[in-house]
């Protein structure tokens, strides 16, 4: 079908998940210093889950490695961002 | 320069096997240089998502005559539309050409699927003699006495030495930053593209878009399509699929609190788009950033031992009528390779010699094009041109065509009334007309 939910979209993408996270979020900073929570809206993989206490729950496994969260986040040090190890991470087949 | 073990010493190290990197590696290898092309993906193209219409056919044809006969291309573009959208209507400028260069060799543009196309292009570099190493992430540059002398790959004994490093590592270029050539970006300088490849029977594609054989279309959409987010949308035909996506400025997504994939769903549901995608099946969803600000985000392009090309250098023309990155990536990659070849002849890899890159970029029309269009991005990628005016055109046409028993208004009074009803001031409108003219006409 043409109209799809976000879950259905993500199921079409192939990820080879590495053992170590390439992105680490410091939820302390999200909780104490951030009112915008930009990452929650912009991430095309919807990987940033806001918690009741204002913090963020993040899982790196289905990440497009696009860098959007890193540029959108306005809090120094909240996101530690790098690429996964060679050959790991997202592997597009059609795009 | 110190000498290093021969197996770890190259003339040219190219980082990133996108169109910039593979073109650079191909040309340098053909000149007889010892070239290493490093790519972090499992294969070249594994990390790369774009539209994608490749407008660099003539450039590639100089390197590989009749390249399209052997490359994984989808369709050649004979029809381009620019559509202005309101939430329920669309007004399109429809360009069709069966003319020379569009429907005939070397063709003006081809749709491609990047994981296939990039892989093929890197294989051409390999065939020309370059060493291609995939699954290799470059984490840093190596320096000796202030000169860049190689790169560090994330693995045991990952130090690799080269006389010139060409950074073709794309929009997020860590290399340009590590070398001190690029600053951090602002969210208004980048746009996020989210995209889908939707499978559809080739016979349906031909019927639906009035195409014969391998003709293809490229449609771009402006206006209410991204709601109040600054951006646009696109839809292209492949052989047996459609590529479509929505592009939104990152700062504007944040301000409006819009999720990109929800905009994508709304795009597909628009009454002018839904019939085009009907019956299709999602094959792959993807996302990637676009450097939207062109000239304004250009890094310093060279330093002792290193050059920067492609998206890493901001050479992506994303401004209303244009979304061209792959062709400029390739041209700048070639200009970088020419510079590296020149430096090898001189056996001098200092910034003073590598400054020849500027001349080579000019000769390949890269810097001249970006200079000419330097006013376009910041203005065109703004709210009035991307959202407001296109939507007004669509709404205006709706009023012109509507027959409902009320008196017919002529176009000028109608326009006047629409401007009056909008938030735009007449003076602003005139200034914008001037800006558009300055951006595109002279
Ligand atoms: C949604 C969307 C639609 C677009 N549509 C079009 C279009 O229709 N036509 C067009 O011409 N352009 C289009 N573009 C722009 C185009 O995709 C880019 O301008 C072009 O891909 C730039 O080529 P490049 O070689 O400079 O960089 P990329 O294609 O991004 O290649 C960079 C390569 O470097 C690798 N890499 C990065 N970092 C490292 C590292 N540290 N170590 C090793 N390898 C690394 C990456 O894996 C990648 O393979 C579009 C872009 C997007 C996002
Ligand atoms: S935008 Fe940055 S600081 Fe704010 S919640 Fe997201 S990651 Fe945390
Ligand atoms: S890099 Fe992109 S996909 Fe990955 S977490 Fe950040 S925004 Fe989401």
């Amino acid at each position: 079908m043409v109209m799809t939910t976000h879950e259905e979209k993500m199921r079409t993408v192939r990820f080879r998940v590495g053992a170590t996270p390439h992105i680490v979020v410091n939820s302390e900073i999200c909780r104490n210093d951030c009112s915008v929570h930009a990452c929650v809206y912009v991430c095309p993989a919807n990987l940033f889950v806001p918690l009741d206490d204002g913090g963020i729950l993040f899982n790196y496994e289905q990440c497009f490695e696009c860098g959007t969260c890193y540029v959108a986040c306005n809090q120094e040090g909240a996101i530690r961002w790098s690429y996964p190890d060679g050959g790991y991470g997202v592997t597009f087949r059609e795009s | 320069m110190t000498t290093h073990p021969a197996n770890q010493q190259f003339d040219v190290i190219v980082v990133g096997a996108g169109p910039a990197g593979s073109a650079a590696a191909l040309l340098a290898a053909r000149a007889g240089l010892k070239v290493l092309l490093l790519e972090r993906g499992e294969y070249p193209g594994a990390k790369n998502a774009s539209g994608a219409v490749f407008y660099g056919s003539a450039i590639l044809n100089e390197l590989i005559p009749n390249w399209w006969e052997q490359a994984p291309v989808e369709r050649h573009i004979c029809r381009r539309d620019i559509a202005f959208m309101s939430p329920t209507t669309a007004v399109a400028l429809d360009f069709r050409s069966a003319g020379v260069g569009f429907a005939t060799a070397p063709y003006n543009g081809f749709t491609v699927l990047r994981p296939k196309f990039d892989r093929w292009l890197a294989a051409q570099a390999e065939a020309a003699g370059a060493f291609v190493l995939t699954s290799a992430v470059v984490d840093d540059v190596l320096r000796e006495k202030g000169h860049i002398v190689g790169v560090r790959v994330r693995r045991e004994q990952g130090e690799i030495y080269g006389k010139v490093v060409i950074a073709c590592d794309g929009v997020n270029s860590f290399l340009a930053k590590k070398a001190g050539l690029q600053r951090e970006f602002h969210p208004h300088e980048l746009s996020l593209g989210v995209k889908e490849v939707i499978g559809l029977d080739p016979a349906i594609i031909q019927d639906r878009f009035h195409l014969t054989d391998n003709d293809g279309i490229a449609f771009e959409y402006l206006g209410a399509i991204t709601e109040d987010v600054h951006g646009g949308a696109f839809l292209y035909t492949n052989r047996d699929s459609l590529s479509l996506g929505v592009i939104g400025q990152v700062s504007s997504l944040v301000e409006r609190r819009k999720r990109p994939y929800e905009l994508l769903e709304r795009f597909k549901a628009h009454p002018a788009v839904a019939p085009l995608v009907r019956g299709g099946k999602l094959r792959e969803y993807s996302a990637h950033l676009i450097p939207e600000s062109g000239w304004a985000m250009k890094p310093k392009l060279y330093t002792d031992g290193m050059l920067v090309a492609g998206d890493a250098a901001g050479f992506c023309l994303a401004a209303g009528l244009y979304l061209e990155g792959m062709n400029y990536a390739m041209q700048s990659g070639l200009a970088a390779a020419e510079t590296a070849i020149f430096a090898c002849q001189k056996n001098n890899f200092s910034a003073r010699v590598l400054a020849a890159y500027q001349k080579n970029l000019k000769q390949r029309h890269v810097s001249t094009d970006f200079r000419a269009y330097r006013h376009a991005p910041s203005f065109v990628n703004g709210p009035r041109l991307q959202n407001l005016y296109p939507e007004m055109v669509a709404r205006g046409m709706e009023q012109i065509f509507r027959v409902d028993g009320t008196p017919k208004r002529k176009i000028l009074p109608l326009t006047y009334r629409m401007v009056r009803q909008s938030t735009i001031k007449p003076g602003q409108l005139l200034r914008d007309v001037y800006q558009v003219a300055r951006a595109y006409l002279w």
Side-chain angles (χ1 to χ4, degrees):
Chain A
M1 74 245 100
V2 171
M3 303 306 287
T4 42
T5 63
H6 188 259
E7 288 73 32
E8 286 165 338
K9 291 186 201 310
M10 294 307 291
R11 273 206 291 277
T12 64
V13 193
R14 189 175 134 210
F15 295 97
R16 189 163 162 231
V17 180
T20 44
H22 60 286
I23 297 175
V24 179
V25 178
N26 184 342
S27 184
E28 281 292 299
I29 298 182
C30 308
R31 179 162 46 234
N32 298 326
D33 305 318
C34 179
S35 54
V36 188
H37 287 192
C39 55
V40 174
Y41 302 96
V42 295
C43 174
N46 195 18
L47 296 179
F48 294 79
V49 182
L51 300 172
D52 286 344
D53 66 357
I56 289 286
L57 182 70
F58 177 80
N59 186 324
Y60 70 99
E61 291 182 4
Q62 300 216 314
C63 166
F64 288 118
E65 303 151 35
C66 65
T68 310
C69 54
Y70 181 76
V71 283
C73 174
N74 58 353
Q75 296 299 324
E76 186 90 20
I79 297 181
R80 208 186 71 216
W81 205 97
S82 67
Y83 288 127
D85 289 348
Y88 286 91
V90 70
T91 301
F92 294 127
R93 291 160 295 177
E94 298 242 18
S95 289
Chain B
M1 188 192 287
T2 343
T3 44
H4 298 277
N7 60 349
Q8 295 283 72
Q9 169 81 52
F10 291 85
D11 294 319
V12 182
I13 299 175
V14 182
V15 181
S22 289
L26 190 152
L27 195 63
R30 279 201 187 162
L33 300 182
K34 192 174 170 195
V35 179
L36 176 66
L37 176 59
L38 293 166
E39 167 57 46
R40 68 186 186 88
E42 187 183 321
Y43 45 81
K47 305 290 184 184
N48 303 344
S50 10
V53 186
F54 171 58
Y55 294 106
S57 186
I59 307 162
L60 194 48
N61 203 33
E62 284 170 25
L63 296 174
I64 306 168
N66 296 352
W67 65 275
W68 54 86
E69 287 171 6
Q70 43 159 312
V73 293
E74 297 294 317
R75 291 171 181 273
H76 57 261
I77 303 303
C78 292
R79 181 174 167 207
R80 291 189 67 176
D81 271 19
I82 304 219
F84 302 135
M85 318 284 273
S86 83
T88 50
T89 52
V91 179
L93 210 64
D94 184 21
F95 168 83
R96 300 180 194 221
S97 177
V100 177
F102 281 89
T104 60
Y107 304 102
N108 192 58
F110 284 97
T111 40
V112 297
L113 301 172
R114 296 289 302 274
K116 294 176 184 165
F117 179 76
D118 287 17
R119 206 170 181 170
W120 171 83
L121 193 59
Q124 305 312 301
E126 194 164 29
F131 297 88
V132 181
L133 192 60
T134 54
S135 300
V137 194
V138 174
D139 276 331
D140 208 344
V141 292
L142 303 175
R143 288 175 198 269
E144 271 172 20
K145 299 195 193 99
H147 279 234
I148 290 173
V149 294
V151 296
R152 183 186 317 279
V153 175
R154 198 185 297 170
R155 61 168 64 174
E156 291 274 304
Q157 295 176 325
E159 288 84 13
I160 307 180
Y161 293 86
K163 294 168 182 165
V164 189
V165 174
I166 308 181
C168 301
D169 51 340
V171 55
N172 291 314
S173 182
F174 280 96
L175 248 60
K177 285 175 193 157
K178 293 270 182 187
L181 299 178
Q182 185 59 289
R183 56 176 170 79
E184 296 286 343
F185 294 127
H186 303 291
H188 68 261
E189 294 175 307
L190 297 162
S191 283
L192 171 64
V194 287
K195 181 195 164 183
E196 288 182 351
V197 173
I198 291 183
L200 203 58
D201 188 71
I204 296 180
I205 293 179
Q206 289 185 358
D207 279 359
R208 203 169 274 182
F209 296 92
H210 311 165
L211 303 171
T212 45
D213 305 328
N214 270 333
D215 292 358
I217 60 96
F219 291 175
E220 333 281 339
Y221 301 85
L222 293 171
I225 205 72
T226 46
E227 301 183 6
D228 49 2
V229 172
H230 309 168
F234 63 87
L235 187 151
Y236 307 142
T237 49
N238 304 315
R239 265 173 215 274
D240 62 355
S241 63
L242 306 175
S243 287
L244 56 87
V246 166
I247 292 166
Q249 188 188 35
V250 175
S251 55
S252 159
L253 284 167
V254 174
E255 277 161 29
R256 317 285 182 204
R257 307 200 158 219
K258 289 280 161 62
R259 295 175 189 256
Y261 40 91
E262 289 175 2
L263 294 178
L264 187 59
E265 287 311 287
R266 259 166 251 161
F267 171 54
K268 286 185 291 183
H270 189 283
V273 180
L276 301 179
V277 298
R278 191 175 51 225
K281 185 175 181 302
L282 177 61
R283 291 229 285 251
E284 191 171 64
Y285 169 61
S286 56
H288 202 280
L289 281 180
I290 304 175
E292 289 258 350
S293 292
W295 195 251
M297 60 200 300
K298 182 169 66 70
K300 214 174 151 289
L301 293 171
Y302 58 92
T303 183
D304 295 311
M306 184 166 131
L307 301 157
V308 189
D311 269 12
F315 290 138
C316 181
L317 189 62
L321 294 177
Y322 306 109
L323 178 48
E324 299 183 20
M326 297 174 70
N327 47 329
Y328 287 111
M330 206 171 258
Q331 285 284 43
S332 56
L334 293 173
E338 283 159 356
T339 314
I341 295 164
F342 173 69
C344 285
Q345 284 162 355
K346 298 252 165 204
N347 199 25
N348 183 336
F349 308 95
S350 67
R352 201 171 44 78
V353 169
L354 296 183
Y357 187 32
Q358 284 178 315
K359 181 182 66 87
N360 294 335
L361 281 172
K362 209 182 245 170
Q363 258 166 15
R364 291 194 164 272
H365 311 300
V366 180
S367 43
T368 36
D369 280 7
F370 278 86
R371 234 190 105 70
Y373 282 98
R374 69 192 177 283
H375 297 301
S378 60
F379 171 62
V380 173
N381 300 335
R384 291 194 302 283
L385 262 238
Q386 280 189 323
N387 308 79
L388 223 51
Y389 294 140
E391 183 170 350
M392 276 172 74
V393 171
R395 286 186 192 278
M397 289 305 278
E398 193 178 4
Q399 297 209 20
I400 289 169
F401 288 145
R402 189 189 292 277
V403 182
D404 59 1
T406 58
K408 271 214 187 308
R409 281 174 195 274
K410 283 194 161 175
I411 292 178
L412 220 51
L414 187 77
T415 312
Y416 180 72
R417 200 176 62 154
M418 286 190 65
V419 173
R420 284 282 306 273
Q421 284 171 350
S422 76
T423 53
I424 303 163
K425 299 192 176 61
Q428 183 71 64
L429 180 68
L430 287 177
R431 275 199 299 280
D432 285 348
V433 170
Y434 169 75
Q435 295 259 30
V436 173
R438 188 173 68 146
Y440 289 106
L441 295 187
W442 64 77

